[in-house]
Amino acid sequence: GPADAAVRWPVLFLLAGSILWLLAGSVLAVIAAIKLHTPGFLADCEFLTFGRVYPAALNAFVYGWGVNAGLAVALWLMARLARATLPGGGLLIVAGAFWNLGVKLGVLGILAGWSTSVPWLEMPHQIVPLLLVAYALAAAWVVGALRHGSSPRLYASQWWLLVALFSLPWLWATAEAMLFFGPVRGTVQVLVGAWFVHGFLLLWFVPLALAVIYYLLPKLLGRPIRAYHLTPFGFWAYVVCAGWAGAARLTGAPVPAWTQAVGTVASLLLLVPLGVIAVNVFGTLLDGGLAVLARSNALRFVGLAALFLVLALLRFAGMLVLRDGAELSWFATASDYAVLYGGFSFAVFGAAYYLLPRLVRRAWPFASLIHMHFLCSVLGFVIGVVALSLGGLRQAADLGGGVKFDEVTAHLLPYLQLATVGGILLLVGHLAFAFHFVKLVFCPCVRARAAAAPVPAELLRTAPDLEAAS
Amino acid sequence: MNRAIVIFLGAFAALTLSWAGLLLGSVRSYGALGAYFDDTESKAYPAQAPGLATRGAQVYADLGCAYCHTQQVRGGEPSADLARKWGGRESYARDYIREERVLLGSVRVGPDLRNFGSRAPAAAELYLHLYSPAAVVPGSTMPAHRFLFETRQITGQPSPLALDRVKVAAPAGSEVVPTSRGEALVGYLLSLRDGYNYPEEEGKNMPPPAPKMEGEKKAETPKTEAPKK
């Protein structure tokens, strides 16, 4: 439609950038994963030591892949749902270019030894103002699309988009200010960090995944969201509780007990909106009949994103209830990965398989590459998260049980090796995805094929009313 | 569009509330926690770290040591930190008030380092550990930090900091010595110790399986020294 045409180039630009970061991030992550069990691997380069490669991978993934892809999807969804044809897409490309420049400087800065070592805020803080300005330009454009759109309705997807777009700069600027520009004292810093990381997960990655899920599920299944009347309640309950839940990451740490209690209560309260989301999403999926999953590539990714997202969020609450000492093990870290990859990335992959053919007006050339990407992602993700989770539980039990430390390390090795296998599978899947993206967007040889196999007409319906039709 | 403004304001209010409640609340409740002045010893605790250690803390941060090593000793169930002798007591919020950047760490790939200084081996062994971890702790997965050392010709006397030439297989006539960054890092690691028992926190944590109440009360006794920052 015209909305797609208006955002074609900015969305393609942001997605291309995000895919490059996805590749860079997965290569760095595989290096880091190997180093965890084979410390001799690339050992003598200071810039590739574990303590630098690991945060570099994380930042490439979060800021490079996560924010680029999130903005691309937000832009496309907002323009579509608001039926906007706002000019000025060139500005978005400029904003995207500055964003990517900033992330590049940040990741290289980490590798070169300017890492702050504060989780998720490792990039040298001098770069952050540049990144915030670039982000603000892009996000303002997305909100502008809403303002100038012709649609009178505001759909659930758009609520989630608005929350994500607004929360990230708020969280980020505040955390930077309280940690680097005017640092607070002592372990208050750790609370700021936990509030930021958890907020980033719950108020950027999760809402974007939900925006995709709430749009694409009804669209692809051809039926409305189940129990849509509950959605506003779920949304507000989620938004109100999410900001407080971060303190639960510090269970048992030297921070005041009341902050830990508040975090725990908020995390448990989040189960209520999570229940609403589960009813909405799984109800719609089951109504639509799971047989459809076999037909649509996008739907398979989005359906799994919904499943993984709900399971990942359940883990946060589960860890607090069990209180098994897993806070300082790989189990806790695996929960973050489950949201980042299983929830957010799967949703973005689904959205990409849906939106890219519509943006460039031709079909994906190779079905086999999509299957390969799907298979590698599912296997890699499940193997990686299960290995880190089981390994983490073992680690927590060993640490709490007073097992000698060298044995703790030895017990963990097979799990870490398995996690590397998962990481390599993910990398292979990403390579297939990236290659396919290049083939689809840039390769002229594909055009002839596409003419022979046009996009099925029923997938080109423009009205998004299905989402709210109940 | 009006609903969009409602959502915008709602999200703003929710996030601002959590910020004010959790973070400003913490700053207010213990953000000004002061050092404790011990009259008998005529010293303030926690002690100010020496300059070498402050530089070493930056090396600790830029090398990302905190991704594998926590710096928080935990007491009570289900932790075995005290039995492991990672510290004589659990860590309190007050222990961290002088640190420019608090890096508690989140995964225990390696041992906790909060009290490393009080259990550290001789500096020579610590340097060797950094140079070649598996040579000191068999099975260790810690990466070698050879980039914190340089191999150079011996001129005159060998450096007192030089590693054991046999163990590191130094070429004839040369020695392996830590760089200034390496020295700073070791200075920092050796400075890590939280031995002091603050009367206020100690009272709160006895007997052993007591609830955690790490210094949330603002120190208000005249013994409290204003933070030097």
Side-chain angles (χ1 to χ4, degrees), chain B residues 137-166:
Chain B
V137 180
S140 167
T141 50
M142 178 171 144
H145 288 66
R146 305 220 166 152
F147 39 80
L148 292 177
F149 297 84
E150 58 188 356
T151 306
R152 65 179 187 203
Q153 288 293 316
I154 302 176
T155 48
Q157 292 277 333
S159 160
L161 293 179
L163 299 181
D164 185 321
R165 297 193 50 242
V166 181

PDB file of all heavy atoms in Angstrom, chain B residues 137-166:
ATOM      1  N   VAL B 137      46.354 -22.930  38.714  1.00  0.00           N
ATOM      2  CA  VAL B 137      45.139 -23.655  39.080  1.00  0.00           C
ATOM      3  C   VAL B 137      44.800 -24.603  37.930  1.00  0.00           C
ATOM      4  O   VAL B 137      44.219 -24.182  36.932  1.00  0.00           O
ATOM      5  CB  VAL B 137      43.963 -22.684  39.312  1.00  0.00           C
ATOM      6  CG1 VAL B 137      42.715 -23.455  39.702  1.00  0.00           C
ATOM      7  CG2 VAL B 137      44.307 -21.669  40.370  1.00  0.00           C
ATOM      8  N   PRO B 138      45.178 -25.888  38.038  1.00  0.00           N
ATOM      9  CA  PRO B 138      44.892 -26.819  36.932  1.00  0.00           C
ATOM     10  C   PRO B 138      43.385 -26.865  36.654  1.00  0.00           C
ATOM     11  O   PRO B 138      42.576 -26.866  37.573  1.00  0.00           O
ATOM     12  CB  PRO B 138      45.390 -28.160  37.472  1.00  0.00           C
ATOM     13  CG  PRO B 138      46.356 -27.817  38.553  1.00  0.00           C
ATOM     14  CD  PRO B 138      45.883 -26.527  39.152  1.00  0.00           C
ATOM     15  N   GLY B 139      43.046 -26.858  35.369  1.00  0.00           N
ATOM     16  CA  GLY B 139      41.636 -26.906  35.005  1.00  0.00           C
ATOM     17  C   GLY B 139      40.960 -25.548  34.971  1.00  0.00           C
ATOM     18  O   GLY B 139      39.776 -25.453  34.671  1.00  0.00           O
ATOM     19  N   SER B 140      41.717 -24.497  35.301  1.00  0.00           N
ATOM     20  CA  SER B 140      41.114 -23.161  35.302  1.00  0.00           C
ATOM     21  C   SER B 140      40.703 -22.763  33.888  1.00  0.00           C
ATOM     22  O   SER B 140      41.415 -23.034  32.917  1.00  0.00           O
ATOM     23  CB  SER B 140      42.123 -22.145  35.841  1.00  0.00           C
ATOM     24  OG  SER B 140      41.678 -20.836  35.580  1.00  0.00           O
ATOM     25  N   THR B 141      39.540 -22.100  33.755  1.00  0.00           N
ATOM     26  CA  THR B 141      39.119 -21.613  32.439  1.00  0.00           C
ATOM     27  C   THR B 141      39.360 -20.118  32.312  1.00  0.00           C
ATOM     28  O   THR B 141      38.870 -19.476  31.395  1.00  0.00           O
ATOM     29  CB  THR B 141      37.632 -21.903  32.187  1.00  0.00           C
ATOM     30  OG1 THR B 141      36.887 -21.459  33.307  1.00  0.00           O
ATOM     31  CG2 THR B 141      37.393 -23.377  31.966  1.00  0.00           C
ATOM     32  N   MET B 142      40.115 -19.568  33.239  1.00  0.00           N
ATOM     33  CA  MET B 142      40.419 -18.132  33.149  1.00  0.00           C
ATOM     34  C   MET B 142      41.360 -17.881  31.976  1.00  0.00           C
ATOM     35  O   MET B 142      42.300 -18.643  31.760  1.00  0.00           O
ATOM     36  CB  MET B 142      41.074 -17.685  34.451  1.00  0.00           C
ATOM     37  CG  MET B 142      41.473 -16.226  34.465  1.00  0.00           C
ATOM     38  SD  MET B 142      42.003 -15.732  36.114  1.00  0.00           S
ATOM     39  CE  MET B 142      43.304 -14.594  35.717  1.00  0.00           C
ATOM     40  N   PRO B 143      41.101 -16.836  31.185  1.00  0.00           N
ATOM     41  CA  PRO B 143      42.009 -16.547  30.069  1.00  0.00           C
ATOM     42  C   PRO B 143      43.365 -16.062  30.582  1.00  0.00           C
ATOM     43  O   PRO B 143      43.450 -15.391  31.610  1.00  0.00           O
ATOM     44  CB  PRO B 143      41.295 -15.446  29.293  1.00  0.00           C
ATOM     45  CG  PRO B 143      40.336 -14.841  30.256  1.00  0.00           C
ATOM     46  CD  PRO B 143      39.956 -15.903  31.226  1.00  0.00           C
ATOM     47  N   ALA B 144      44.425 -16.407  29.842  1.00  0.00           N
ATOM     48  CA  ALA B 144      45.750 -15.899  30.179  1.00  0.00           C
ATOM     49  C   ALA B 144      45.784 -14.406  29.880  1.00  0.00           C
ATOM     50  O   ALA B 144      45.187 -13.949  28.911  1.00  0.00           O
ATOM     51  CB  ALA B 144      46.800 -16.621  29.356  1.00  0.00           C
ATOM     52  N   HIS B 145      46.473 -13.660  30.731  1.00  0.00           N
ATOM     53  CA  HIS B 145      46.559 -12.210  30.529  1.00  0.00           C
ATOM     54  C   HIS B 145      47.990 -11.819  30.188  1.00  0.00           C
ATOM     55  O   HIS B 145      48.583 -10.956  30.828  1.00  0.00           O
ATOM     56  CB  HIS B 145      46.075 -11.470  31.775  1.00  0.00           C
ATOM     57  CG  HIS B 145      44.590 -11.545  31.958  1.00  0.00           C
ATOM     58  ND1 HIS B 145      43.936 -12.717  32.226  1.00  0.00           N
ATOM     59  CD2 HIS B 145      43.632 -10.593  31.885  1.00  0.00           C
ATOM     60  CE1 HIS B 145      42.636 -12.482  32.311  1.00  0.00           C
ATOM     61  NE2 HIS B 145      42.430 -11.212  32.111  1.00  0.00           N
ATOM     62  N   ARG B 146      48.538 -12.449  29.136  1.00  0.00           N
ATOM     63  CA  ARG B 146      49.949 -12.176  28.795  1.00  0.00           C
ATOM     64  C   ARG B 146      50.141 -10.746  28.340  1.00  0.00           C
ATOM     65  O   ARG B 146      51.242 -10.220  28.377  1.00  0.00           O
ATOM     66  CB  ARG B 146      50.398 -13.119  27.690  1.00  0.00           C
ATOM     67  CG  ARG B 146      50.158 -14.558  28.120  1.00  0.00           C
ATOM     68  CD  ARG B 146      51.232 -15.494  27.743  1.00  0.00           C
ATOM     69  NE  ARG B 146      51.000 -16.713  28.516  1.00  0.00           N
ATOM     70  CZ  ARG B 146      51.350 -17.917  28.157  1.00  0.00           C
ATOM     71  NH1 ARG B 146      52.001 -18.087  27.023  1.00  0.00           N
ATOM     72  NH2 ARG B 146      51.096 -18.952  28.915  1.00  0.00           N
ATOM     73  N   PHE B 147      49.070 -10.141  27.884  1.00  0.00           N
ATOM     74  CA  PHE B 147      49.197  -8.753  27.424  1.00  0.00           C
ATOM     75  C   PHE B 147      49.406  -7.787  28.584  1.00  0.00           C
ATOM     76  O   PHE B 147      49.572  -6.593  28.368  1.00  0.00           O
ATOM     77  CB  PHE B 147      47.970  -8.356  26.599  1.00  0.00           C
ATOM     78  CG  PHE B 147      46.683  -8.894  27.149  1.00  0.00           C
ATOM     79  CD1 PHE B 147      46.057  -8.278  28.206  1.00  0.00           C
ATOM     80  CD2 PHE B 147      46.110 -10.030  26.597  1.00  0.00           C
ATOM     81  CE1 PHE B 147      44.879  -8.779  28.718  1.00  0.00           C
ATOM     82  CE2 PHE B 147      44.926 -10.544  27.099  1.00  0.00           C
ATOM     83  CZ  PHE B 147      44.309  -9.916  28.162  1.00  0.00           C
ATOM     84  N   LEU B 148      49.361  -8.291  29.807  1.00  0.00           N
ATOM     85  CA  LEU B 148      49.697  -7.432  30.945  1.00  0.00           C
ATOM     86  C   LEU B 148      51.174  -7.581  31.322  1.00  0.00           C
ATOM     87  O   LEU B 148      51.608  -7.109  32.368  1.00  0.00           O
ATOM     88  CB  LEU B 148      48.827  -7.781  32.154  1.00  0.00           C
ATOM     89  CG  LEU B 148      47.341  -7.456  32.006  1.00  0.00           C
ATOM     90  CD1 LEU B 148      46.576  -7.918  33.239  1.00  0.00           C
ATOM     91  CD2 LEU B 148      47.135  -5.965  31.793  1.00  0.00           C
ATOM     92  N   PHE B 149      51.932  -8.266  30.465  1.00  0.00           N
ATOM     93  CA  PHE B 149      53.355  -8.501  30.734  1.00  0.00           C
ATOM     94  C   PHE B 149      54.154  -8.168  29.489  1.00  0.00           C
ATOM     95  O   PHE B 149      53.622  -8.183  28.378  1.00  0.00           O
ATOM     96  CB  PHE B 149      53.580  -9.966  31.112  1.00  0.00           C
ATOM     97  CG  PHE B 149      52.882 -10.365  32.381  1.00  0.00           C
ATOM     98  CD1 PHE B 149      51.550 -10.752  32.356  1.00  0.00           C
ATOM     99  CD2 PHE B 149      53.540 -10.326  33.593  1.00  0.00           C
ATOM    100  CE1 PHE B 149      50.891 -11.095  33.524  1.00  0.00           C
ATOM    101  CE2 PHE B 149      52.893 -10.672  34.765  1.00  0.00           C
ATOM    102  CZ  PHE B 149      51.564 -11.054  34.733  1.00  0.00           C
ATOM    103  N   GLU B 150      55.426  -7.885  29.701  1.00  0.00           N
ATOM    104  CA  GLU B 150      56.298  -7.707  28.545  1.00  0.00           C
ATOM    105  C   GLU B 150      57.585  -8.506  28.777  1.00  0.00           C
ATOM    106  O   GLU B 150      58.032  -8.671  29.912  1.00  0.00           O
ATOM    107  CB  GLU B 150      56.607  -6.223  28.309  1.00  0.00           C
ATOM    108  CG  GLU B 150      57.258  -5.538  29.492  1.00  0.00           C
ATOM    109  CD  GLU B 150      57.364  -4.037  29.270  1.00  0.00           C
ATOM    110  OE1 GLU B 150      57.007  -3.572  28.189  1.00  0.00           O
ATOM    111  OE2 GLU B 150      57.813  -3.343  30.202  1.00  0.00           O
ATOM    112  N   THR B 151      58.121  -9.004  27.664  1.00  0.00           N
ATOM    113  CA  THR B 151      59.396  -9.712  27.733  1.00  0.00           C
ATOM    114  C   THR B 151      60.484  -8.732  27.339  1.00  0.00           C
ATOM    115  O   THR B 151      60.368  -8.080  26.295  1.00  0.00           O
ATOM    116  CB  THR B 151      59.395 -10.902  26.762  1.00  0.00           C
ATOM    117  OG1 THR B 151      58.255 -11.700  27.062  1.00  0.00           O
ATOM    118  CG2 THR B 151      60.657 -11.742  26.910  1.00  0.00           C
ATOM    119  N   ARG B 152      61.501  -8.572  28.174  1.00  0.00           N
ATOM    120  CA  ARG B 152      62.551  -7.605  27.833  1.00  0.00           C
ATOM    121  C   ARG B 152      63.913  -8.133  28.258  1.00  0.00           C
ATOM    122  O   ARG B 152      64.012  -9.033  29.108  1.00  0.00           O
ATOM    123  CB  ARG B 152      62.258  -6.256  28.489  1.00  0.00           C
ATOM    124  CG  ARG B 152      62.310  -6.320  30.000  1.00  0.00           C
ATOM    125  CD  ARG B 152      62.055  -4.974  30.632  1.00  0.00           C
ATOM    126  NE  ARG B 152      62.295  -5.073  32.069  1.00  0.00           N
ATOM    127  CZ  ARG B 152      61.773  -4.260  32.968  1.00  0.00           C
ATOM    128  NH1 ARG B 152      60.991  -3.276  32.592  1.00  0.00           N
ATOM    129  NH2 ARG B 152      62.048  -4.405  34.246  1.00  0.00           N
ATOM    130  N   GLN B 153      64.931  -7.551  27.651  1.00  0.00           N
ATOM    131  CA  GLN B 153      66.304  -7.921  27.992  1.00  0.00           C
ATOM    132  C   GLN B 153      66.601  -7.530  29.439  1.00  0.00           C
ATOM    133  O   GLN B 153      66.154  -6.490  29.907  1.00  0.00           O
ATOM    134  CB  GLN B 153      67.274  -7.164  27.075  1.00  0.00           C
ATOM    135  CG  GLN B 153      67.289  -7.668  25.636  1.00  0.00           C
ATOM    136  CD  GLN B 153      67.848  -9.075  25.521  1.00  0.00           C
ATOM    137  OE1 GLN B 153      68.851  -9.391  26.137  1.00  0.00           O
ATOM    138  NE2 GLN B 153      67.178  -9.920  24.746  1.00  0.00           N
ATOM    139  N   ILE B 154      67.336  -8.402  30.134  1.00  0.00           N
ATOM    140  CA  ILE B 154      67.756  -8.033  31.486  1.00  0.00           C
ATOM    141  C   ILE B 154      68.935  -7.079  31.369  1.00  0.00           C
ATOM    142  O   ILE B 154      69.941  -7.401  30.731  1.00  0.00           O
ATOM    143  CB  ILE B 154      68.174  -9.273  32.294  1.00  0.00           C
ATOM    144  CG1 ILE B 154      67.010 -10.259  32.365  1.00  0.00           C
ATOM    145  CG2 ILE B 154      68.642  -8.886  33.682  1.00  0.00           C
ATOM    146  CD1 ILE B 154      67.335 -11.554  33.048  1.00  0.00           C
ATOM    147  N   THR B 155      68.782  -5.896  31.932  1.00  0.00           N
ATOM    148  CA  THR B 155      69.915  -4.972  31.956  1.00  0.00           C
ATOM    149  C   THR B 155      70.294  -4.798  33.414  1.00  0.00           C
ATOM    150  O   THR B 155      69.483  -4.365  34.225  1.00  0.00           O
ATOM    151  CB  THR B 155      69.527  -3.617  31.348  1.00  0.00           C
ATOM    152  OG1 THR B 155      68.291  -3.218  31.940  1.00  0.00           O
ATOM    153  CG2 THR B 155      69.365  -3.709  29.855  1.00  0.00           C
ATOM    154  N   GLY B 156      71.518  -5.166  33.748  1.00  0.00           N
ATOM    155  CA  GLY B 156      71.931  -5.105  35.147  1.00  0.00           C
ATOM    156  C   GLY B 156      71.198  -6.162  35.949  1.00  0.00           C
ATOM    157  O   GLY B 156      71.103  -7.315  35.547  1.00  0.00           O
ATOM    158  N   GLN B 157      70.593  -5.712  37.080  1.00  0.00           N
ATOM    159  CA  GLN B 157      69.860  -6.634  37.946  1.00  0.00           C
ATOM    160  C   GLN B 157      68.522  -7.031  37.307  1.00  0.00           C
ATOM    161  O   GLN B 157      67.874  -6.186  36.691  1.00  0.00           O
ATOM    162  CB  GLN B 157      69.552  -5.919  39.268  1.00  0.00           C
ATOM    163  CG  GLN B 157      70.750  -5.623  40.124  1.00  0.00           C
ATOM    164  CD  GLN B 157      71.147  -6.823  40.964  1.00  0.00           C
ATOM    165  OE1 GLN B 157      70.311  -7.644  41.287  1.00  0.00           O
ATOM    166  NE2 GLN B 157      72.417  -6.922  41.292  1.00  0.00           N
ATOM    167  N   PRO B 158      68.083  -8.292  37.466  1.00  0.00           N
ATOM    168  CA  PRO B 158      66.718  -8.622  37.043  1.00  0.00           C
ATOM    169  C   PRO B 158      65.710  -7.855  37.897  1.00  0.00           C
ATOM    170  O   PRO B 158      65.996  -7.515  39.042  1.00  0.00           O
ATOM    171  CB  PRO B 158      66.613 -10.126  37.313  1.00  0.00           C
ATOM    172  CG  PRO B 158      67.995 -10.607  37.522  1.00  0.00           C
ATOM    173  CD  PRO B 158      68.798  -9.445  38.014  1.00  0.00           C
ATOM    174  N   SER B 159      64.551  -7.555  37.306  1.00  0.00           N
ATOM    175  CA  SER B 159      63.518  -6.826  38.048  1.00  0.00           C
ATOM    176  C   SER B 159      62.997  -7.689  39.190  1.00  0.00           C
ATOM    177  O   SER B 159      62.844  -8.903  39.031  1.00  0.00           O
ATOM    178  CB  SER B 159      62.367  -6.476  37.107  1.00  0.00           C
ATOM    179  OG  SER B 159      61.214  -6.213  37.859  1.00  0.00           O
ATOM    180  N   PRO B 160      62.733  -7.084  40.342  1.00  0.00           N
ATOM    181  CA  PRO B 160      62.173  -7.879  41.442  1.00  0.00           C
ATOM    182  C   PRO B 160      60.779  -8.411  41.116  1.00  0.00           C
ATOM    183  O   PRO B 160      60.311  -9.360  41.739  1.00  0.00           O
ATOM    184  CB  PRO B 160      62.124  -6.889  42.620  1.00  0.00           C
ATOM    185  CG  PRO B 160      62.198  -5.532  42.003  1.00  0.00           C
ATOM    186  CD  PRO B 160      62.964  -5.673  40.730  1.00  0.00           C
ATOM    187  N   LEU B 161      60.104  -7.804  40.155  1.00  0.00           N
ATOM    188  CA  LEU B 161      58.762  -8.258  39.807  1.00  0.00           C
ATOM    189  C   LEU B 161      58.771  -9.328  38.725  1.00  0.00           C
ATOM    190  O   LEU B 161      57.721  -9.851  38.356  1.00  0.00           O
ATOM    191  CB  LEU B 161      57.918  -7.073  39.316  1.00  0.00           C
ATOM    192  CG  LEU B 161      57.589  -5.997  40.354  1.00  0.00           C
ATOM    193  CD1 LEU B 161      56.766  -4.890  39.712  1.00  0.00           C
ATOM    194  CD2 LEU B 161      56.824  -6.604  41.517  1.00  0.00           C
ATOM    195  N   ALA B 162      59.956  -9.637  38.168  1.00  0.00           N
ATOM    196  CA  ALA B 162      60.013 -10.571  37.048  1.00  0.00           C
ATOM    197  C   ALA B 162      59.454 -11.930  37.451  1.00  0.00           C
ATOM    198  O   ALA B 162      59.630 -12.385  38.585  1.00  0.00           O
ATOM    199  CB  ALA B 162      61.454 -10.720  36.569  1.00  0.00           C
ATOM    200  N   LEU B 163      58.761 -12.576  36.506  1.00  0.00           N
ATOM    201  CA  LEU B 163      58.220 -13.909  36.768  1.00  0.00           C
ATOM    202  C   LEU B 163      59.354 -14.918  36.791  1.00  0.00           C
ATOM    203  O   LEU B 163      60.417 -14.686  36.209  1.00  0.00           O
ATOM    204  CB  LEU B 163      57.207 -14.277  35.685  1.00  0.00           C
ATOM    205  CG  LEU B 163      55.991 -13.365  35.591  1.00  0.00           C
ATOM    206  CD1 LEU B 163      55.051 -13.861  34.504  1.00  0.00           C
ATOM    207  CD2 LEU B 163      55.258 -13.316  36.922  1.00  0.00           C
ATOM    208  N   ASP B 164      59.089 -16.050  37.448  1.00  0.00           N
ATOM    209  CA  ASP B 164      60.054 -17.133  37.507  1.00  0.00           C
ATOM    210  C   ASP B 164      60.445 -17.526  36.079  1.00  0.00           C
ATOM    211  O   ASP B 164      59.606 -17.979  35.299  1.00  0.00           O
ATOM    212  CB  ASP B 164      59.400 -18.319  38.236  1.00  0.00           C
ATOM    213  CG  ASP B 164      60.373 -19.455  38.459  1.00  0.00           C
ATOM    214  OD1 ASP B 164      61.173 -19.713  37.538  1.00  0.00           O
ATOM    215  OD2 ASP B 164      60.326 -20.060  39.541  1.00  0.00           O
ATOM    216  N   ARG B 165      61.749 -17.353  35.737  1.00  0.00           N
ATOM    217  CA  ARG B 165      62.166 -17.498  34.341  1.00  0.00           C
ATOM    218  C   ARG B 165      61.969 -18.914  33.836  1.00  0.00           C
ATOM    219  O   ARG B 165      61.716 -19.125  32.655  1.00  0.00           O
ATOM    220  CB  ARG B 165      63.616 -17.048  34.173  1.00  0.00           C
ATOM    221  CG  ARG B 165      63.786 -15.560  34.505  1.00  0.00           C
ATOM    222  CD  ARG B 165      65.125 -15.004  34.056  1.00  0.00           C
ATOM    223  NE  ARG B 165      65.426 -15.322  32.684  1.00  0.00           N
ATOM    224  CZ  ARG B 165      66.457 -16.045  32.282  1.00  0.00           C
ATOM    225  NH1 ARG B 165      67.303 -16.529  33.167  1.00  0.00           N
ATOM    226  NH2 ARG B 165      66.667 -16.283  31.016  1.00  0.00           N
ATOM    227  N   VAL B 166      62.069 -19.914  34.726  1.00  0.00           N
ATOM    228  CA  VAL B 166      61.885 -21.300  34.291  1.00  0.00           C
ATOM    229  C   VAL B 166      60.403 -21.542  33.989  1.00  0.00           C
ATOM    230  O   VAL B 166      60.038 -22.101  32.962  1.00  0.00           O
ATOM    231  CB  VAL B 166      62.382 -22.268  35.381  1.00  0.00           C
ATOM    232  CG1 VAL B 166      62.209 -23.705  34.931  1.00  0.00           C
ATOM    233  CG2 VAL B 166      63.831 -21.954  35.716  1.00  0.00           C
TER     234      VAL B 166
END
